[in-house]
Amino acid sequence: MSSPKWHSLQSADVLQRLDSSLTGLTIEQAKKRLIEYGHNAIIQKKRRSLLFILLGQFSDFMIIVLLVAAVISGFLGELQDTIAILVIVLLNAIIGTGQEYRAERAVAALRKMAAPDAHVLRDTNEVTIDTIELVPGDIVMLEAGNIVPADLRLLEEEDLQVDESALTGESSAIEKQTEPLVNTELAIGDRLNLVFKSSMITRGRGKGVVVASGMETEIGQIAGLLQDETNVKTPLQKRLSRFGRYLALAVLAICIMVFVVGLLQGQPILLMFLTSVSLGVAAIPEALPAVVTISLALGARKLIRHNALVRNLPAVETLGSVTYICTDKTGTLTQNLMTAELFYAAGELRKAMPESEASIPWTELGQAMALNNDIMVKDGKPAGEPTELALFEAAHMAGFDKSILEQAKPRIAVIAFDSQRKQMTTLHQTSDVVTAYIKGAPEKVLQQCIQGLNNDGATAFEVATVLAEATQLASKGYRVLAFAKREFSRLPDPLEADVVERELTFLGLVALIDPPRPEVPKAVNDCLTAGIIPVMITGDHPGTAFAIAQRLGIIDDDSAMLSGDQLAKIPDEEFSRLVDTIRVYARVTPEQKLRIVKALQEKGEFVAMTGDGVNDAPALKRASIGVAMGLKGTDVAREASDMVLLDDDFSSIVRAIRSGRRTFDNIRKFIKYTLSSNFGEILTLFLAPFFGLPIPLLPIHILWINLVTDGLPGLALTTEPAEPNIMNRAPTPPKESIFSHGMWQHIIWVGLFIGGISIVTMAWAISRDLVYWQTMVFTVLTVSQLFHALAVRSNSTSLLRTGLFSNLPMLGAFLLTLLLQMVVIYTPVLNTIFHTQPLPMADFAVCMFISSLILFAVEIEKWLIRRGVIYV
C-alpha cells in the first residue's frame, strides 16, 4: 500500500482512505486484509546455518596457505607443527563464526520488541487479538503501559505520552495530539499525531487507526535495512588478506630457487626437496593468526577496565584506524540529566538560583519551582519526570524545600499539563488566599501575564522584552520554562484552565539543558589531536544540538550543521562533497544515519558509530565499528554492534581507540620481527651455495628456529606497552600497506644483516676446521632473532629508555628460548635428534657476541629516526 502523509491528514480523511470507521473493521474485512497485507510481524530472511557460516571461514587466502603448510609439516613428520597450525586455524574459524552468527541475531532481537496482543474494535466490539493479526484500518485502544502494536494515526487522546526513544533517539517522552500537522515532511519525532510500533505508552490513553503493519511500519523498515546491510571488513582483515597472497607467491618462488640451486651444486634431490619445503614452512608465519587473536583478546580484556565490552574481536584493531566518530548526543556526550542552569527574574539573568532569603522576585520564583511539580520523595530520593526533577533539585539547593513549603502552603488542586495549553498549574492554600503557580512554555504563559514582579512588588510588564530573553536562551539550546502566579480569595469554581490561567503575575524564566559530561571536552580535543573527527548525530532539536556541539568543541567556523529535513533535499552527489564538512546532524531518520555512514566510507573514512536505539541498528551494523550503549541501549542496538560502552561515556571510546592503536602497533611489530627473521633464514640458505659453502642448515634446524623464535618472543610482543606519542599522530589510512613507515626497508636490511653474520660465522668456523660449524650457524640464527625481538619493541625509543623490565613476558621469553637452545646444544639425546654438537663455552660466547650485533644495529637505526635522518 502506498503510504500517504498520514500526519498531515484530517482524522476523517485517514479513515476514508483506509476504508474504516470509528467502530472498527468487520471480522470479514480483517480476514481479507490479512490475506492482502500479510501478518503484522517482522519477517526475517532465511538465516544461514552454523555449519555454513563455519565452512565460510576457511575461504580466506591466508587460511588456505596455513592449511597447506600444515599438510606439508605432517608430511615431513613434524606433527607438532601440524597440530599447532590446525588449532590456530580452528580457533580463528570459531571466533569468526561467532561474530557472523551474532550479527544475524540483531533482527531476532527486533522481533522480540513486538507487543504480544492488541485491544481492537471488531464488529463494534472491543476484543483482544494477537498483534500479528492487526491490519491497516483496525481501530486500536491504547493505555499507559501498552507497547504500541503497529503504526497508528491517533483519533483520540487523553494526556497521552509516548516513549519513542528506541526509534527516534530522543530521550524525553513525547506529548501526543490528534490535530493534523501542516508540514508534510516532518521527521518521525515531530509527527505528534502518530504512534509507532514497539514504542511504549508512558501516560494517558488514546485510540488510533492502523496505517501501517508488519514490514511497512517504521520499525519494519529498519529491520529491512538491518537485513540488507552487510558488515564491512576491518582494515587488518584487508591488509592480512593482501599480505597472505603476496607472501605465498614469494615463498613459492624462493623454494623453487633454493631447490634448483641445490641441485646445480650437486646436492641430493631428497635433501633439497625437504630443505626447500622446510624453508617454505618456516617462511610462512603460521603464528601470525595466533598473535593477532591474542593481541585482540588482550586488547579486549584491557578495554573492559575502561568500561568497553568488545563483542567482535577484530573491532579492537579497527579502533586504531578510526578517522570519524559519529556519536549520539544524549547520555553519550551529555549526562542524560536535565539541569536548571540559568535563571531570570526582575530583569536579571543569573547562573545560580539565589538562596531562599533573597529578594521578593527570586523568593517567589524559588517557591514556584519547588511547589509546581509532581515530584515524590521516596527513601530520601526524589523521583519524577526529568524536567520537573531538575527544577525541584535547583530549588532545593537554593533552600526551597518542598516538604517544608507544603506545610505552609498545602496543595489543594492541580490543572494537569496538556499539549494544547503547554502549561501546568498547582493551587495552594494559605490562611487567607489560594495561590496558583503556573509553569509552561514562555509563548503561552507570557501572553496571560498582565504584570511582573520586582523588589517593590507588582510592576509594569513588557511581554516583548521577556519573550526576547526566552528566545535568546532557546537559540543557545536551552529548554526554557516560564513561571507565573495568581492569587484568589478562595478556590476558583469552576476549576478550569480558562478561569485560573489568566491575569497572571510573571515571576521568572528557568533555562534547562542536559549538560555535557565534564570529561567529554578533553576527549573531543584528544580526538582532534589524534586526527579523528567527532560528528554529532542526534534526534534532538537543531538548536540544542548546535549549542552542545559548540560547548564541546565539535563544531567550528569551518564546519556546518544539517537537519534531517535539509539532508533529505540534498542529492547524493552533492552530499558526497559536503559530508566531510558537516559536524552536527539533528532530527535525522534511521535511513539518513545509514546514508551518512556510507557517504563517509565511500570517501575512504573508517567510521565508528555510536547508538542506543532501534533506529541506530542499521548504521551500527554498517559502520566500520558499531558502538552500542550499555546503560540505555536496546537489545537490537547491542546485537548489531561490535562493542558496548558499559558507562555510555564518549571518553571511553577515546580510551578504546588508544588501545586499538596499541594493538595494531604490536601486530605490526610482530610482522616486522618475524618476516625479518624469516628473511634472514632464507638468505642464509640461498646465498651460502653462491660462496661455495655447503647447505648451512638441515630441515629440522629450520623448523626448530621457526618454532622457538616465532613462538614465545612473538607472543610477548603482544603485551608491549603503547608508544608515548600514540595519540599524537593521525590514524593509519585504511588503504595504507601494512609494510609502510619503513617496515619493508627494515625487513630487507635486517634480513641481510642476519643472513650476513650467519654466513660469516659459517665461513669462519669452516676455515678453522671446526666440526661443529653447523651448530654455530644454527645458534647464531636462533639467538640473533631473540636479540632482534628485544630491539623491535619500540619503533624509535631506545631499549635503554624502554627498559628490559617494562615488558616482563618478553624478558621471560628471551631467557626461556635461550635456555631451550642451550638444551638442544648440550643434551646428548637431543644432539642425536637435532644433529647438533656441544660448543666450547668460548665459541658459544662468540655466537652470543655475533648474535647481539643485530641489537646494536637496530639501536643505531632508531637513533637515526630520532634525529630525523630516517623518516618513518
Side-chain angles (χ1 to χ4, degrees):
M1 181 175 65
S2 102
S3 179
K5 305 295 183 182
W6 298 111
H7 61 275
S8 63
L9 299 177
Q10 294 283 349
S11 299
D13 292 337
V14 173
L15 291 170
Q16 184 179 5
R17 290 194 183 215
L18 292 167
D19 192 19
S20 183
S21 69
L22 288 173
T23 57
L25 300 175
T26 65
I27 293 175
E28 285 304 314
Q29 280 180 309
K31 285 181 179 178
K32 289 179 182 178
R33 295 191 185 191
L34 191 60
I35 295 171
E36 181 181 356
Y37 298 119
H39 285 113
N40 175 38
I42 303 299
I43 300 170
Q44 188 165 7
K45 292 181 180 178
K46 187 177 180 181
R47 295 171 65 177
R48 296 180 298 166
S49 68
L50 269 175
L51 179 62
F52 185 85
I53 296 173
L54 179 64
L55 293 175
Q57 305 303 313
F58 296 96
S59 61
D60 184 80
F61 193 83
M62 188 69 183
I63 297 299
I64 293 170
V65 170
L66 287 172
L67 290 173
V68 171
V71 172
I72 294 172
S73 295
F75 173 75
L76 293 174
E78 300 298 328
L79 289 178
Q80 71 273 19
D81 275 10
T82 300
I83 293 170
I85 294 170
L86 291 177
V87 168
I88 290 166
V89 168
L90 185 60
L91 178 62
N92 278 274
I94 290 170
I95 290 171
T97 301
Q99 291 162 197
E100 289 196 35
Y101 182 70
R102 174 192 52 74
E104 294 200 352
R105 288 167 52 197
V107 175
L110 197 58
R111 290 164 62 90
K112 291 179 183 177
M113 295 182 69
D117 49 44
H119 304 290
V120 301
L121 293 177
R122 291 273 173 91
D123 284 335
T124 71
N125 297 316
E126 185 174 338
V127 295
T128 300
I129 64 170
D130 194 309
T131 298
I132 66 170
E133 296 177 12
L134 275 179
V135 293
D138 261 325
I139 303 297
V140 180
M141 319 302 291
L142 301 169
E143 60 183 22
N146 288 166
I147 295 174
V148 180
D151 287 2
L152 312 177
R153 169 65 161 85
L154 290 171
L155 305 173
E156 298 175 11
E157 66 89 16
E158 184 181 326
D159 196 23
L160 189 67
Q161 192 178 68
V162 184
D163 178 3
E164 297 177 348
S165 58
L167 189 63
T168 65
E170 191 162 351
S171 56
S172 302
I174 307 299
E175 302 284 343
K176 291 296 181 175
Q177 65 179 57
T178 58
E179 294 303 310
L181 302 166
V182 177
N183 187 347
T184 59
E185 302 299 329
L186 290 175
I188 293 172
D190 293 324
R191 299 175 196 172
L192 300 179
N193 52 19
L194 292 176
V195 291
F196 302 98
K197 183 178 174 68
S198 298
S199 299
M200 170 73 79
I201 306 297
T202 58
R203 189 175 73 193
R205 58 198 315 152
K207 180 191 291 186
V209 59
V210 176
V211 294
S213 62
M215 297 300 285
E216 294 300 317
T217 62
E218 291 293 336
I219 206 166
Q221 292 176 44
I222 291 171
L225 289 173
L226 199 54
Q227 295 183 100
D228 293 339
E229 211 47 61
T230 55
N231 292 94
V232 178
K233 275 193 171 184
T234 72
L236 186 63
Q237 287 170 328
K238 293 177 180 178
R239 291 184 179 111
L240 290 182
S241 181
R242 289 195 300 267
F243 168 63
R245 287 195 296 271
Y246 297 146
L247 179 65
L249 294 173
V251 168
L252 181 62
I254 289 168
C255 289
I256 292 172
M257 283 192 289
V258 169
F259 180 72
V260 170
V261 169
L263 291 182
L264 293 175
Q265 200 181 32
Q267 299 290 342
I269 293 178
L270 181 60
L271 175 62
M272 289 315 304
F273 174 74
L274 292 176
T275 301
S276 299
V277 171
S278 299
L279 184 61
V281 173
I284 295 171
E286 63 264 27
L288 179 59
V291 167
V292 169
T293 302
I294 291 171
S295 294
L296 298 175
L298 290 174
R301 189 177 70 174
K302 189 171 184 178
L303 286 176
I304 291 177
R305 299 179 208 154
H306 298 308
N307 294 309
L309 175 65
V310 174
R311 306 180 70 249
N312 177 2
L313 272 185
V316 176
E317 179 274 331
T318 309
L319 284 162
S321 298
V322 164
T323 56
Y324 271 76
I325 302 177
C326 295
T327 176
D328 185 27
K329 175 185 73 68
T330 306
T332 307
L333 297 174
T334 64
Q335 298 177 31
N336 195 20
L337 181 68
M338 288 298 284
T339 303
E341 201 168 83
L342 294 173
F343 307 87
Y344 175 88
E348 182 184 4
L349 185 67
R350 295 191 180 187
K351 292 184 178 180
M353 186 68 192
E355 297 294 332
S356 56
E357 65 270 11
S359 60
I360 294 173
W362 290 104
T363 299
E364 288 285 354
L365 177 59
Q367 290 183 0
M369 290 166 57
L371 293 169
N372 184 287
N373 58 66
D374 291 323
I375 297 298
M376 301 293 291
V377 179
K378 297 178 181 179
D379 300 324
K381 292 184 178 180
E385 196 271 330
T387 300
E388 289 199 336
L389 195 58
L391 295 168
F392 173 89
E393 294 282 9
H396 187 78
M397 288 179 65
F400 298 95
D401 189 305
K402 181 178 181 178
S403 59
I404 295 175
L405 288 172
E406 281 189 333
Q407 292 176 13
K409 295 184 177 184
R411 178 161 148 177
I412 57 173
V414 62
I415 303 175
F417 177 93
D418 70 47
S419 56
Q420 298 296 320
R421 293 171 28 253
K422 296 184 179 180
Q423 295 175 130
M424 172 186 179
T425 297
T426 58
L427 294 99
H428 303 264
Q429 180 72 61
T430 60
S431 57
D432 53 350
V433 296
V434 171
T435 304
Y437 288 114
I438 299 94
K439 78 165 183 286
E443 65 273 16
K444 294 288 187 179
V445 174
L446 292 173
Q447 289 175 0
Q448 297 159 342
C449 293
I450 58 172
Q451 60 187 5
L453 199 64
N454 62 20
N455 292 330
D456 299 322
T459 184
F461 177 64
E462 288 285 341
V463 174
T465 302
V466 180
L467 194 57
E469 184 70 37
T471 303
Q472 177 70 13
L473 290 170
S475 69
K476 295 178 180 178
Y478 289 100
R479 181 183 180 188
V480 185
L481 292 176
F483 285 83
K485 65 176 282 190
R486 184 180 177 187
E487 293 183 346
F488 300 89
S489 59
R490 57 186 176 81
L491 188 68
D493 185 22
L495 186 62
E496 295 177 352
D498 291 343
V499 175
V500 177
E501 295 171 349
R502 60 190 180 88
E503 300 178 6
L504 307 178
T505 300
F506 172 72
L507 301 179
L509 302 173
V510 180
L512 304 102
I513 201 164
D514 179 10
R517 289 176 177 264
E519 65 275 13
V520 170
K522 183 182 182 303
V524 169
N525 186 62
D526 288 345
C527 280
L528 297 172
T529 302
I532 302 164
I533 298 173
V535 175
M536 181 195 291
I537 303 179
T538 179
D540 218 332
H541 290 281
T544 305
F546 186 83
I548 295 295
Q550 272 193 320
R551 286 196 193 193
L552 296 174
I554 289 176
I555 201 163
D556 57 32
D557 295 337
D558 298 324
S559 53
M561 182 181 80
L562 280 181
S563 67
D565 288 345
Q566 293 169 322
L567 180 55
K569 298 171 184 175
I570 300 175
D572 287 343
E573 298 78 11
E574 184 180 346
F575 182 55
S576 180
R577 292 192 297 272
L578 288 174
V579 69
D580 50 7
T581 65
I582 310 300
R583 297 292 177 269
V584 178
Y585 297 87
R587 280 293 197 227
V588 291
T589 66
E591 293 86 354
Q592 288 173 334
K593 291 185 179 186
L594 193 57
R595 185 184 177 193
I596 293 163
V597 171
K598 285 183 175 180
L600 287 168
Q601 288 176 333
E602 285 168 4
K603 299 198 79 169
E605 306 293 350
F606 259 74
V607 184
M609 173 79 192
T610 76
D612 57 359
V614 173
N615 60 324
D616 299 314
L620 287 173
K621 186 177 179 184
R622 171 70 192 198
S624 309
I625 174 167
V627 183
M629 302 297 109
L631 295 178
K632 61 187 179 73
T634 60
D635 287 343
V636 182
R638 282 192 283 267
E639 291 293 348
S641 68
D642 302 293
M643 188 172 81
V644 177
L645 291 186
L646 302 180
D647 57 358
D648 292 8
D649 184 358
F650 178 81
S651 59
S652 295
I653 304 174
V654 180
R655 289 191 291 269
I657 287 173
R658 177 186 173 84
S659 182
R661 290 189 174 189
R662 169 181 173 265
T663 299
F664 180 61
D665 279 357
N666 289 346
I667 291 170
R668 286 186 83 249
K669 287 171 186 175
F670 171 78
I671 293 172
K672 178 196 281 190
Y673 159 70
T674 191
L675 290 189
S676 301
S677 303
N678 291 355
F679 189 45
E681 296 171 36
I682 291 167
L683 286 174
T684 303
L685 283 161
F686 185 68
L687 295 177
F690 288 97
F691 293 104
L693 298 170
I695 297 296
L697 299 170
L698 297 174
I700 195 169
H701 296 152
I702 299 170
L703 294 172
W704 171 259
I705 294 171
N706 192 48
L707 177 67
V708 297
T709 59
D710 279 6
L712 293 176
L715 295 176
L717 281 171
T718 64
T719 64
E720 192 63 36
E723 297 276 343
N725 65 337
I726 198 164
M727 289 300 282
N728 293 327
R729 67 183 196 223
T732 304
K735 294 184 179 179
E736 182 179 273
S737 167
I738 204 164
F739 297 104
S740 60
H741 300 289
M743 186 193 281
W744 69 266
Q745 295 95 326
H746 179 93
I747 290 169
I748 289 174
W749 83 256
V750 168
L752 285 168
F753 192 94
I754 291 175
I757 61 176
S758 300
I759 290 172
V760 167
T761 302
M762 179 181 177
W764 176 75
I766 290 174
S767 70
R768 292 174 58 206
D769 294 326
L770 299 177
V771 294
Y772 46 78
W773 64 265
Q774 196 169 55
T775 304
M776 291 187 71
V777 178
F778 177 39
T779 302
V780 168
L781 262 175
T782 303
V783 179
S784 62
Q785 292 182 35
L786 296 180
F787 278 111
H788 184 229
L790 292 177
V792 297
R793 285 180 52 201
S794 174
N795 295 320
S796 60
T797 306
S798 168
L799 182 61
L800 293 174
R801 191 177 188 85
T802 305
L804 285 173
F805 298 101
S806 59
N807 186 346
L808 290 177
M810 174 59 77
L811 182 60
F814 179 93
L815 295 174
L816 180 58
T817 305
L818 183 60
L819 178 63
L820 290 173
Q821 181 67 17
M822 294 178 71
V823 169
V824 168
I825 295 172
Y826 294 107
T827 305
V829 175
L830 296 178
N831 289 156
T832 304
I833 297 172
F834 283 91
H835 304 284
T836 54
Q837 294 169 286
L839 297 176
M841 290 311 296
D843 286 337
F844 182 77
V846 169
C847 291
M848 289 293 293
F849 172 73
I850 293 173
S851 300
S852 69
L853 294 176
I854 187 62
L855 175 61
F856 297 106
V858 176
E859 285 295 318
I860 291 170
E861 178 194 45
K862 291 194 283 189
W863 180 78
L864 293 172
I865 290 171
R866 293 195 299 271
R867 290 298 181 99
V869 177
I870 299 175
Y871 293 96
V872 296

